[in-house]
Amino acid sequence: MKLPARLAVLLAVMAATACAPQTSDNSSSDKDEKTGTLRVWLFQEVGNKPKEKVVDSVLAAFEKAHEGTDVTVEYIPVETRAQRIKAAFNDPASAPDVIEYGNTDTAGYVRDGGLLDVTGEFGAWAEAEDTDPTAKQSVTVDGKVYGAPFFVGVRALYYRTDLFDELGLDVPRTQAELVSTAKEIRAAEPGMYGLAVGGAYTYGAMPFVWAHGGELATGKGGSYASAIDSPAARKGIKAYTSLFGDDNCPASTCAGMGGNDTVTAFASGKAGMAIGGDFSHAAVEAGKVKGKYAVVPLPGVEAGSIAPAFAGGNNIGVLKSTAHRTLAVDLMKRLASKRTQAAMFDAMGFLPTFSDVRQRAAAKEPFVKPFVETLGAGAKFVPASPAWSQIDSSLVLPTMFQEIVSGKKSVAEASADAARKMNDAFGSVG
C-alpha cells in the first residue's frame, strides 16, 4: 500500500473516531436466546485457508451440539479492525456476537463498553487452569476477564539460506550487522529487498527501539507518559528507519507496507530477510521460499543478545450486545480451546496459550525453537492503557516512521510529534 493510501486510511480513522458516539452500558442485551444465527468476526491472515478449515470444523461441531443454531463468519482485515469494531460497539443491531481481537486492544474495548465480562464462565472452564499467566493477563482488566486467549505470538528473523550461501553471508549477530547484511543483499540482488521492512509495521520496529534501551512509555497503573522521543528511543528509531532507501527497501514502496506485506515479500522470494512471527510460518511455507529459509531470534545491539520482541497475540471475546450469551460464550470457549489451539498450531503455526499444549507443540516442531527462545529472553508489551487502542488506530507510530523515511521530518521532529500525540491520548483517559 502506498503512502497516500495509508494517509487516506488515517484520515478515515480519525473521522470515524471523531464522529462516533461513546459506547456505553446501554449496548448490553438482556436476551439469552438459545437458537438462531450467531455472527463471528475473525482476522484475515496471510494464507487464510488453513485457518478457515480449522474454524469450519469448530463451527460444525458447535452447530451439531446446538440444534437450531447456525454461525456465519466474516474474516476482516487487521488493519481496519479499529473502525469496524468501534462501529459494532455503537450499532448492536449489526454487531457480531463473537470477535477475535488483538491483545493490545483489550483495555480500550473494555473502556468502550463493548466486551462482555465472562469472569464467571472463564473461572468455571476446566481448561482455563492451564492458561499461561501472561496470556490470561491479556484478557484481564481490573481483575475481570473479558475473553479467552487465542494464541501468543512473537517475531524473529527469517532469512534465505540459499541466498546467504550463494553470497557467502553470515547470519547477523547484531542489529548493525543486520543493516549491513541487508544492504549487501540489495547490492548483489538489485531486484530484491535485503530486509523487507514497513513504515506501517509497528511491531517489527519496536524491537529496534527496545534493543537500544528505549521505551514506548513510562508509568503504570493506568498513568503513562510517552518515552518515544527519549535519546535511547531515537537511536532505535534511527536504526530502523535507516533500512528505508534504495540500498535496501525503497521508501516509495516500503513506507506504506505493514507486517503482512513484508512477510508476503519474503514468502514470494522478493526479500532476503524479513521480521516475521511464528504465526507467519504457514504463509512462508506456502510460498516460493519453502525449504530455502531458516529462522533465528532477531539480534540485539550486542553480539549474542536477542532484541526484545513484542509479546503479541490475539484473544476471542463476546460482545456485550449479544442476544445469545450462553451460546456465544460456548462458541468462544470452543474457538479458544486446547483442541482448537493445537489444530491452529498445526495449520498456521500459532503458538498456543495453554502451557501444556505449547510444550507439546515445541517438542513436535523445530521451527518453534527460535520463537520460544525469544520469549524466554524477555518479550515486552505495550502500555496497559485504554489509550493504546487510540494510539494504535490513529496510526501515531506508523505516521512517525513514514514522516522520517519520506524525508518530511527528522527523527527528533517526528518522535517529538508522536510523543505529543501519545500524551494527548494518555491524558484523555485519565
Side-chain angles (χ1 to χ4, degrees):
M1 190 181 297
K2 297 294 191 293
L3 181 57
R6 199 71 200 176
L7 291 176
V9 172
L10 170 60
L11 292 174
V13 172
M14 292 175 65
T17 302
C19 297
Q22 178 70 33
T23 310
S24 70
D25 289 339
N26 293 333
S27 63
S28 61
S29 172
D30 295 327
K31 297 180 180 179
D32 191 11
E33 300 171 1
K34 301 301 192 293
T35 59
T37 299
L38 277 76
R39 298 177 62 206
V40 178
W41 286 358
L42 301 176
F43 289 156
Q44 178 84 31
E45 311 291 343
V46 176
N48 204 55
K49 290 299 181 182
K51 181 177 183 178
E52 292 176 24
K53 186 176 181 180
V54 174
V55 171
D56 288 347
S57 177
V58 174
L59 301 188
F62 175 83
E63 291 175 350
K64 184 177 181 181
H66 298 285
E67 186 177 350
T69 64
D70 62 90
V71 183
T72 61
V73 180
E74 181 179 355
Y75 291 91
I76 65 174
V78 176
E79 291 80 6
T80 58
R81 73 189 188 282
Q83 54 265 47
R84 289 290 303 274
I85 294 176
K86 180 72 174 181
F89 290 168
N90 287 292
D91 184 15
S94 63
D97 298 274
V98 177
I99 61 169
E100 177 180 357
Y101 65 93
N103 61 9
T104 61
D105 296 325
T106 306
Y109 289 171
V110 170
R111 178 176 180 266
D112 287 344
L115 292 176
L116 183 68
D117 178 353
V118 294
T119 305
E121 292 94 336
F122 189 87
W125 184 26
E127 293 192 356
E129 294 181 2
D130 295 319
T131 300
D132 181 286
T134 303
K136 183 179 179 181
Q137 184 181 358
S138 76
V139 294
T140 304
V141 178
D142 295 332
K144 296 181 179 179
V145 177
Y146 292 89
F150 188 35
F151 69 86
V152 62
V154 291
R155 291 162 177 83
L157 181 67
Y158 285 72
Y159 70 96
R160 287 277 298 277
T161 52
D162 60 334
L163 190 63
F164 272 58
D165 288 343
E166 178 185 334
L167 299 179
L169 300 173
D170 294 324
V171 178
R173 298 171 301 163
T174 66
Q175 288 193 356
E177 289 182 4
L178 178 68
V179 173
S180 62
T181 300
K183 294 181 179 180
E184 283 187 63
I185 293 172
R186 177 73 172 181
E189 301 286 344
M192 179 181 291
Y193 306 134
L195 171 65
V197 289
Y201 192 9
T202 302
Y203 300 125
M206 284 180 180
F208 289 80
V209 173
W210 289 325
H212 283 80
E215 296 289 347
L216 299 177
T218 57
K220 61 181 180 178
S223 178
Y224 289 91
S226 177
I228 198 65
D229 59 343
S230 70
R234 285 174 173 171
K235 287 181 181 178
I237 295 168
K238 184 177 180 180
Y240 184 69
T241 55
S242 72
L243 289 160
F244 292 81
D246 291 340
D247 56 357
N248 176 54
C249 202
S252 58
T253 302
C254 302
M257 285 169 51
N260 284 353
D261 298 317
T262 63
V263 171
T264 298
F266 181 81
S268 63
K270 295 180 180 178
M273 297 182 289
I275 301 169
D278 51 275
F279 43 85
S280 306
H281 178 257
V284 176
E285 279 288 290
K288 293 182 179 180
V289 299
K290 179 179 174 64
K292 298 183 289 187
Y293 73 94
V295 185
V296 295
L298 185 70
V301 173
E302 301 296 330
S305 66
I306 297 175
F310 165 66
N314 290 352
N315 303 324
I316 301 290
V318 176
L319 264 65
K320 186 183 290 188
S321 59
T322 182
H324 302 88
R325 177 180 179 127
T326 300
L327 290 173
V329 170
D330 181 53
L331 182 54
M332 175 196 77
K333 291 190 290 186
R334 288 171 182 262
L335 286 168
S337 70
K338 290 186 177 184
R339 181 175 182 177
T340 303
Q341 289 195 23
M344 279 293 186
F345 172 78
D346 290 339
M348 301 293 296
F350 292 170
L351 281 179
T353 65
F354 296 103
S355 301
D356 54 339
V357 181
R358 186 161 69 224
Q359 289 171 359
R360 290 195 294 271
K364 183 167 60 173
E365 292 289 354
F367 83 83
V368 172
K369 183 179 178 181
F371 301 103
V372 173
E373 288 180 358
T374 299
L375 278 169
K380 297 175 78 75
F381 197 59
V382 299
S385 167
W388 182 258
S389 60
Q390 179 182 337
I391 293 167
D392 191 30
S393 65
S394 297
L395 308 178
V396 172
L397 295 181
T399 298
M400 176 187 71
F401 292 124
Q402 290 166 346
E403 288 174 339
I404 294 167
V405 303
S406 67
K408 292 181 178 179
K409 293 180 181 178
S410 66
V411 171
E413 292 170 334
S415 62
D417 286 347
R420 176 176 47 78
K421 293 174 185 176
M422 290 175 69
N423 285 330
D424 287 345
F426 288 136
S428 71
V429 299

